[in-house]
Amino acid sequence: VPECGTCPSIVRPGPGGVTVGDWMAAAMEHLFQSVEPAVISEAERQVRSVFPNGLPHPDDLVMVNVRWGDKKREMKPVPILSFIREVEKLIETRPPERADMPLHVYVATEDPRALREFIALSPPSWRIHASGPLQMEGHTNMWKFASGRNGLQSLGALLVSLEANRFVLTRGSNWSRLIDELRKNVVDPRCGGCTSMVDLSPGEWPTMLGNGTITWESSSGR
């Protein structure tokens, strides 16, 4: 982790500078410009498993990231009903010609409780999909969980997440921020700004203070 004095000079407030969010998004765009074949193969495997009839049209797919698990120590968990309400609002923005098409919701979460609750509380007409690893209940240490095979499956699920045009995220979570950064800098430029996002728990890490200083200390997003 760099000291504040070595952070890039372009990251500063005001004219001629860029925000931390913009800088991090550009960094993620660079890192993901080439994806390992193993990750692509894993994403394709997940698509075949959870979308046996093929991926829905991007306008008929809403991506939801529910970060519960150990995140409650840093960020207040967002209730499932809040996600559902935002999905209901987002689907009203679909093009008129797709308004009557079935709605698909892709839920990205590591917490099996969150997935069960989302399925239970969603309207019966919604088609709920999920892939990627789930933690055993009671085991919430993400540092130990997101490695090896689980890490590969998580990256595969990340690529699947980007198939949607509409996103409900909690940017207080690193994973939601990563999804949003790739949405803005990779997906949107390719589709002419076709995506939209709702943030239910704003957050930024690292953080730019009012005087332009960059700090890696944060109460959320770690």
Side-chain angles (χ1 to χ4, degrees), residues 47-115:
V47 167
R48 291 192 298 269
S49 175
V50 300
F51 298 103
N53 297 320
L55 280 165
H57 190 283
D59 278 326
D60 302 328
L61 179 61
V62 179
M63 185 274 160
V64 172
N65 178 218
V66 184
R67 180 69 170 90
W68 281 6
D70 62 347
K71 199 63 180 176
K72 62 185 178 182
R73 291 176 293 187
E74 302 168 353
M75 181 183 84
K76 184 178 179 180
V78 177
I80 291 298
L81 283 175
S82 296
F83 289 96
I84 291 175
R85 283 193 292 268
E86 294 305 325
V87 172
E88 290 173 333
K89 294 176 185 177
L90 280 177
I91 61 178
E92 294 299 320
T93 67
R94 287 193 291 179
E97 64 271 18
R98 306 212 63 82
D100 296 325
M101 300 299 292
L103 175 69
H104 298 260
V105 181
Y106 179 75
V107 182
T109 184
E110 82 293 347
D111 195 318
R113 298 171 306 151
L115 180 58

Side-chain angles (χ1 to χ4, degrees), residues 157-214:
L158 174 65
L159 297 188
V160 177
S161 299
L162 298 176
E163 295 293 334
N165 272 1
R166 289 163 179 78
F167 298 77
V168 183
L169 305 175
T170 54
R171 281 179 48 89
S173 154
N174 282 330
W175 199 252
S176 271
R177 275 203 313 282
L178 174 57
I179 293 169
D180 193 41
E181 288 157 0
L182 295 175
R183 174 190 72 85
K184 292 186 298 183
N185 280 43
V186 176
V187 179
D188 260 2
R190 297 181 181 182
C191 69
C194 65
T195 73
S196 58
M197 185 274 292
V198 174
D199 184 4
L200 292 178
S201 182
E204 200 73 76
W205 188 74
T207 304
M208 179 184 291
L209 304 180
N211 62 3
T213 301
I214 307 297

Side-chain angles (χ1 to χ4, degrees), residues 115-137:
L115 180 58
R116 286 198 304 268
E117 191 170 331
F118 195 97
I119 293 172
L121 297 178
S122 296
S125 61
W126 290 8
R127 301 180 183 182
I128 312 301
H129 311 268
S131 65
L134 292 172
Q135 290 181 311
M136 294 177 60
E137 295 196 34

Side-chain angles (χ1 to χ4, degrees), residues 1-14 16-27 206-208 211-216:
V1 176
E3 297 295 332
C4 293
T6 64
C7 291
S9 60
I10 61 169
V11 183
R12 60 179 184 271
V18 299
T19 66
V20 170
D22 289 339
W23 188 83
M24 293 295 288
T207 304
M208 179 184 291
N211 62 3
T213 301
I214 307 297
T215 175
W216 294 80

